[in-house]
Amino acid sequence: MKIIRYSLNPRTPATATDSDPDVRHGDLSELPPEGRLLPPCSPSKIVCVGRNYAEHAKELGNEVPQEPLIFLKPPSSLIASGDSIVYPKLSQRVDFEGELGVVIGKRARNVSSAEADGYILGYTPVNDVTARDLQKKDGQWTRGKGFDTFCAVGPCLLRREEADFKNFRVQTFVNGEKKQDAPVTEMLFNVNDIIAYVSAFMTLEPGDLIATGTPPGVGPLQPGSTVQIVIEGIGVLENTVIAEA
């Protein structure tokens, strides 16, 4: 089952939580024609892992980290597949970053790597959109990663029990041209180790999202671009880029 969140109210925001009476749950194959697709999870926080593929660290001139490099994106940055990424006036360089997202299924605190599997609800594609110029200028990543619309997620969530994890590949296409393609097995820190690392200092709640890092091949987007994050077996996350009005 490919789990979705959706609304029959076209004005329901992508950031709507499950407490919103318009939010419904179902299967991707049963999305009504008039349904407005929402991100497949409603996280209290979005935990991200930086430089989790060695070749990506190298392409940006960074050292490979010795332990997971953690940062946060705000829930206000969430959009669903089909929504528009807004290219902000404050930036001159906005990049795509295709990633595998992990959605937490139950509260996790001080979880060991060996037991981390039991805390995973499922997996979903993520685009960790980044204002690269601001990230470099600021020296920390909150502004460059945190704009509204800078965390595209979806279209659905595949339950952990149904996932063929070892065969997942993260692929990114911009205007139909392949830009990224790597197996998730190339992560420096695997999903279980990430959950253990994060839960040692932060309580993870049901619905929280972990973006596990991007493979090499990141690059710029422009207003008018269409970007797709493809993880075979889960689905295709597709968004267009528009200029900030």
Side-chain angles (χ1 to χ4, degrees):
M1 181 176 181
K2 295 185 176 181
I3 300 169
I4 58 171
R5 298 169 67 248
Y6 69 98
S7 174
L8 298 180
N9 178 355
R11 293 183 296 276
T12 301
T15 54
T17 68
D18 288 342
S19 63
D20 188 314
D22 285 334
V23 173
R24 305 183 179 203
H25 298 80
D27 184 85
L28 182 60
S29 65
E30 300 171 356
L31 177 66
E34 69 277 21
R36 185 265 196 271
L37 196 62
L38 301 170
C41 57
S42 177
S44 68
K45 50 193 167 292
I46 302 164
V47 181
C48 306
V49 185
R51 304 172 191 165
N52 199 25
Y53 290 76
E55 292 304 314
H56 170 61
K58 292 176 183 177
E59 74 179 346
L60 296 183
N62 297 310
E63 294 183 359
V64 173
Q66 298 303 304
E67 58 184 23
L69 179 59
I70 303 299
F71 63 95
L72 299 174
K73 290 172 85 84
S76 54
S77 66
L78 284 168
I79 57 171
S81 186
D83 291 342
S84 295
I85 297 167
V86 178
Y87 198 116
K89 295 177 181 178
L90 288 173
S91 177
Q92 302 301 312
R93 171 68 185 256
V94 173
D95 284 7
F96 58 84
E97 293 192 7
E99 309 194 7
L100 174 71
V102 177
V103 179
I104 298 298
K106 60 182 180 180
R107 179 173 287 182
R109 182 74 166 99
N110 291 320
V111 172
S112 71
S113 181
E115 62 184 357
D117 262 3
Y119 291 81
I120 298 170
L121 178 61
Y123 306 100
T124 187
V126 173
N127 190 350
D128 172 22
V129 184
T130 303
R132 191 72 68 199
D133 54 345
L134 300 182
Q135 180 189 25
K136 291 179 178 179
K137 176 183 178 182
D138 293 352
Q140 52 83 29
W141 301 358
T142 302
R143 184 167 63 145
K145 298 280 192 176
F147 282 91
D148 290 358
T149 77
F150 269 27
C151 188
V153 186
C156 61
L157 177 146
L158 181 69
R159 287 188 178 275
R160 174 182 59 84
E161 297 85 355
E162 301 173 26
D164 184 12
F165 183 88
K166 66 181 182 300
N167 287 320
F168 282 159
R169 299 186 71 89
V170 177
Q171 297 180 308
T172 302
F173 297 81
V174 178
N175 299 327
E177 181 180 352
K178 186 185 288 186
K179 299 292 187 178
Q180 294 181 287
D181 186 359
V184 299
T185 52
E186 289 185 358
M187 290 181 191
L188 294 170
F189 306 101
N190 66 40
V191 170
N192 285 10
D193 289 344
I194 292 167
I195 292 173
Y197 183 87
V198 172
S199 71
F201 65 88
M202 178 190 302
T203 300
L204 294 169
E205 299 289 355
D208 282 353
L209 175 66
I210 299 176
T212 57
T214 196
V218 299
L221 296 168
Q222 300 295 335
S225 297
T226 297
V227 57
Q228 296 174 312
I229 313 301
V230 180
I231 303 179
E232 189 173 349
I234 305 178
V236 179
L237 169 64
E238 181 172 321
N239 303 92
T240 56
V241 182
I242 62 173
E244 183 178 11

